[in-house]
Amino acid sequence: MLEIRHLRTLSALRSAGSLVRAAQLLNLTQSALSHQIKLLEDRYGGPLFERKSVPIGFTATGSRLLKLADLLLPEIEQAERDVARLSQGDQGQLRVALECHTCFDWLMPVMDEFRQRWPDVEIDLVSGFHSEPAELLRSGAADLVIGSDYSSEFATFPLFRFEILVVMAQKHRLQGARRLAAADFEGETLITYPVPEERIDLIREVLRPAGIHFERRTAELTVAILQLVASRRGVAALPNWAIKNYVDYDYVIAKPVGELGLWSDLFVSVPEALRQKAYVLDFVNVIREQCAASLDGIKLLS
């Protein structure tokens, strides 16, 4: 029998662009997702999509089921939101603070989509640069923080894992390196946001344990950091999504750190009182859905 979960699977495949990312988006193992698809294909007597096409190309059968998904899923999701409004109320506020300052690159479309889904929930960014955004949750000045895992204090929802790359100017002395090691940073100037050193992954995970000596310079804006890097004032460590366009246009060069890369996890944290709020849960879902579809090189967290 065709079920709602099957339609959600096909929709996730189209949005995520691959079996791996669709499984992450649906919180399934890849084998469980493959098994579900095989059962559907056995039922309809043929493939639903082309296995080797990038992005995924759907067959006539898959496209027809996707058309059904596009008709039904928005109605189902709207009904679920309506039921949540009836049980919890349809008003509230989300004052969002960012620990991850490069999140601005993808957060604006997320907020636009959320406003369409929850027009009576006031959502806004807490203005200013905050070196300790979790303190805003503690003081009640913010309702939601996007950043580190604060699960010891707050209700926390996992978003995704991303790789941190080191960017440098063209013709930098390290441009020929395939990957960077801690010793490569000896004597370098590291350009960062003005946050405590323990919140900077490269310093905390790589440089400090190796006893590397480096200079540090700060800037509040990502574009300012990249301008300083391009003008040979130092190097910076930034998320892969934040630097993609600059690297594609040869403005800077990007290098991974270590044999396995330097990875960081991103979370949403809210006070316990907001843990079960439908609009909070939906905001988290919108982030995961949109980032899975638009950000290359991320891994959704379960």
Side-chain angles (χ1 to χ4, degrees), residues 164-186:
I164 297 171
L165 300 174
V166 171
V167 289
M168 60 190 69
Q170 297 288 342
K171 299 183 179 179
H172 189 277
R173 65 180 180 86
L174 296 173
Q175 68 172 357
R178 185 176 67 89
R179 292 179 174 272
L180 301 181
D184 293 325
F185 294 90
E186 186 71 39

Side-chain angles (χ1 to χ4, degrees), residues 34-101:
S34 296
H35 179 68
Q36 184 186 125
I37 292 170
K38 184 179 185 303
L39 291 177
L40 270 179
E41 292 181 328
D42 289 345
R43 172 179 172 80
Y44 292 108
L48 301 177
F49 61 93
E50 302 296 336
R51 287 325 196 252
K52 296 183 179 180
S53 65
V54 179
I56 288 178
F58 289 87
T59 63
T61 302
S63 295
R64 181 63 185 88
L65 292 176
L66 266 177
K67 185 177 180 181
L68 177 63
D70 289 339
L71 286 172
L72 293 184
L73 291 182
E75 290 295 323
I76 292 169
E77 291 164 0
Q78 183 62 53
E80 289 174 339
R81 288 193 291 271
D82 290 343
V83 169
R85 290 185 180 100
L86 290 171
S87 62
Q88 298 182 8
D90 61 355
Q91 295 183 341
Q93 67 174 0
L94 273 183
R95 295 164 297 168
V96 179
L98 298 178
E99 177 185 312
C100 172
H101 305 287

Side-chain angles (χ1 to χ4, degrees), residues 2-268:
L2 185 64
E3 301 177 18
I4 293 172
R5 65 191 177 101
H6 298 143
L7 299 179
R8 284 183 168 143
T9 291
L10 292 172
S11 181
L13 271 173
R14 180 178 58 191
S15 298
S18 72
L19 279 170
V20 173
R21 296 183 77 172
Q24 294 172 345
L25 187 59
L26 294 165
N27 287 324
L28 296 174
T29 64
Q30 190 174 346
S31 61
L33 180 60
S34 296
H35 179 68
Q36 184 186 125
I37 292 170
K38 184 179 185 303
L39 291 177
L40 270 179
E41 292 181 328
D42 289 345
R43 172 179 172 80
Y44 292 108
L48 301 177
F49 61 93
E50 302 296 336
R51 287 325 196 252
K52 296 183 179 180
S53 65
V54 179
I56 288 178
F58 289 87
T59 63
T61 302
S63 295
R64 181 63 185 88
L65 292 176
L66 266 177
K67 185 177 180 181
L68 177 63
D70 289 339
L71 286 172
L72 293 184
L73 291 182
E75 290 295 323
I76 292 169
E77 291 164 0
Q78 183 62 53
E80 289 174 339
R81 288 193 291 271
D82 290 343
V83 169
R85 290 185 180 100
L86 290 171
S87 62
Q88 298 182 8
D90 61 355
Q91 295 183 341
Q93 67 174 0
L94 273 183
R95 295 164 297 168
V96 179
L98 298 178
E99 177 185 312
C100 172
H101 305 287
T102 52
C103 293
F104 282 110
D105 292 347
W106 51 258
L107 184 58
M108 294 303 105
V110 166
M111 293 176 69
D112 289 343
E113 173 66 20
F114 179 81
R115 288 188 181 100
Q116 291 184 36
R117 297 189 185 194
W118 296 89
D120 294 318
V121 174
E122 182 181 349
I123 184 169
D124 201 2
L125 288 172
V126 179
S127 62
F129 189 95
H130 308 285
S131 61
E132 293 287 353
E135 184 58 38
L136 298 173
L137 283 182
R138 299 184 189 105
S139 66
D143 305 297
L144 183 148
V145 165
I146 299 173
S148 301
D149 182 358
Y150 294 115
S151 55
S152 61
E153 292 185 77
F154 306 106
T156 300
F157 304 92
L159 294 178
F160 55 83
R161 174 168 295 170
F162 60 92
E163 187 173 11
I164 297 171
L165 300 174
V166 171
V167 289
M168 60 190 69
Q170 297 288 342
K171 299 183 179 179
H172 189 277
R173 65 180 180 86
L174 296 173
Q175 68 172 357
R178 185 176 67 89
R179 292 179 174 272
L180 301 181
D184 293 325
F185 294 90
E186 186 71 39
E188 278 286 347
T189 296
L190 182 63
I191 304 170
T192 75
Y193 298 105
V195 299
E197 287 192 357
E198 58 268 20
R199 290 229 333 260
I200 300 173
D201 297 83
L202 180 64
I203 296 176
R204 184 184 66 252
E205 304 292 336
V206 178
L207 304 184
R208 189 180 287 167
I212 301 299
H213 296 92
F214 60 93
E215 299 294 327
R216 186 181 173 201
R217 178 172 179 173
T218 64
E220 293 191 1
L221 301 177
T222 304
V223 65
I225 290 176
L226 288 165
Q227 286 174 346
L228 289 170
V229 168
S231 59
R232 303 180 184 279
R233 306 298 177 85
V235 299
L238 294 168
N240 48 8
W241 77 74
I243 62 174
K244 184 179 185 303
N245 288 338
Y246 298 92
V247 173
D248 289 347
Y249 286 98
D250 295 325
Y251 189 66
V252 291
I253 300 170
K255 301 288 181 179
V257 179
E259 286 303 314
L260 300 177
L262 179 61
W263 294 80
S264 186
D265 295 343
L266 201 62
F267 299 83
V268 160

